[in-house]
Amino acid sequence: MPVRVGSGTDQCRPAATHLRRQFDGTFGEETIERFLHSSYDQFANRSTIPNYLPLLAERFARQRLHALAKVEGHITDGKPVVLFLCVHNAGRSQMALGFFQHLAGDGAVAWSGGSEPGNEINPSAIDAMSERGIDISREFTKPWTEEIVRAADVVVTMGCGDACPVFPGKRYLDWTLDDPAGQSVDDVRPIRDEIERRVRGLLDDLGVAAQH
């Protein structure tokens, strides 16, 4: 069962220090702490490992602050940003993220999220990706947030339907893929291979050379 905890102020002190150092000159302390504690609250009521919460909060807050920095024009490196969205952020979107990061290297940025985030990454998806030399076991399920969607140049949706966020002027791609939830590794392999094919096509479309 999820472990209910408090706001995490004390637990998040080291994380706040790390983020203040990283975003010094970009965001003030108040903004950083607001993002950190709201990120903590996103996981607090569904996490089964409370000691891991500060790390999850720090990782998610870092992603959100990076997104906000891009939206506000603080990041102008020209790298395309792709957001992969599905329902639970446990299978399809995580495999797409894994392939994209592996193939794009430093040439692009990718994030993932879910409309109803699950509690863990699909074990069959982890095993199927491991067969391709890509480790997604250290990823975590998370929701999408407004600044993350606004920062994305391309939003790829996978089965979240009307629950997926729609922002005017944003480029959307809808990938129809079988849901790997509850399926064996044998069943997930064809889904994995189709995701890789589509990710490679997307990278080519974005003008990003695949590293492998």
Side-chain angles (χ1 to χ4, degrees):
M1 293 291 291
V3 179
R4 295 187 178 276
V5 295
S7 63
T9 300
D10 292 335
Q11 296 95 323
C12 287
R13 290 187 194 281
T17 300
H18 298 159
L19 293 172
R20 282 197 296 270
R21 186 180 302 121
Q22 180 175 351
F23 291 96
D24 181 42
T26 303
F27 297 116
E29 181 175 339
E30 181 178 343
T31 298
I32 290 171
E33 293 200 355
R34 174 166 55 85
F35 271 67
L36 178 59
H37 291 298
S38 63
S39 296
Y40 184 96
D41 290 341
Q42 291 277 4
F43 301 104
N45 291 330
R46 59 186 177 89
S47 174
T48 57
I49 310 176
N51 291 338
Y52 198 39
L53 279 170
L55 178 59
L56 289 180
E58 180 180 349
R59 289 176 63 185
F60 192 40
R62 179 176 290 108
Q63 178 178 311
R64 295 175 61 197
L65 288 165
H66 183 91
L68 184 63
K70 183 175 187 297
V71 170
E72 295 186 350
H74 300 296
I75 295 177
T76 56
D77 55 17
K79 294 181 181 180
V81 176
V82 177
L83 174 62
F84 296 102
L85 296 177
C86 65
V87 179
H88 301 303
N89 190 218
R92 291 165 291 188
S93 58
Q94 292 287 358
M95 288 191 286
L97 175 67
F99 274 123
F100 194 97
Q101 292 179 327
H102 179 71
L103 295 170
D106 294 330
V109 176
W111 298 318
S112 70
S115 55
E116 300 176 16
N119 291 326
E120 63 178 5
I121 307 299
N122 184 326
S124 293
I126 292 174
D127 291 344
M129 293 297 288
S130 179
E131 293 177 350
R132 302 303 300 274
I134 301 174
D135 182 10
I136 63 170
S137 65
R138 296 176 184 174
E139 291 297 329
F140 58 102
T141 62
K142 52 200 169 296
W144 58 268
T145 61
E146 181 175 336
E147 68 279 347
I148 287 175
V149 181
R150 289 175 60 199
D153 297 298
V154 181
V155 179
V156 180
T157 61
M158 309 176 193
C160 47
D162 292 341
C164 284
V166 177
F167 284 66
K170 192 68 59 183
R171 180 186 176 191
Y172 285 86
L173 298 174
D174 184 45
W175 290 359
T176 301
L177 299 160
D178 290 337
D179 189 348
Q183 298 196 44
S184 68
V185 177
D186 287 342
D187 293 327
V188 171
R189 287 189 186 108
I191 304 171
R192 174 202 65 192
D193 294 345
E194 177 62 15
I195 288 173
E196 179 183 10
R197 186 187 70 79
R198 295 190 187 210
V199 167
R200 286 183 179 275
L202 176 57
L203 285 170
D204 187 59
D205 188 44
L206 292 172
V208 178
Q211 303 297 301
H212 303 276

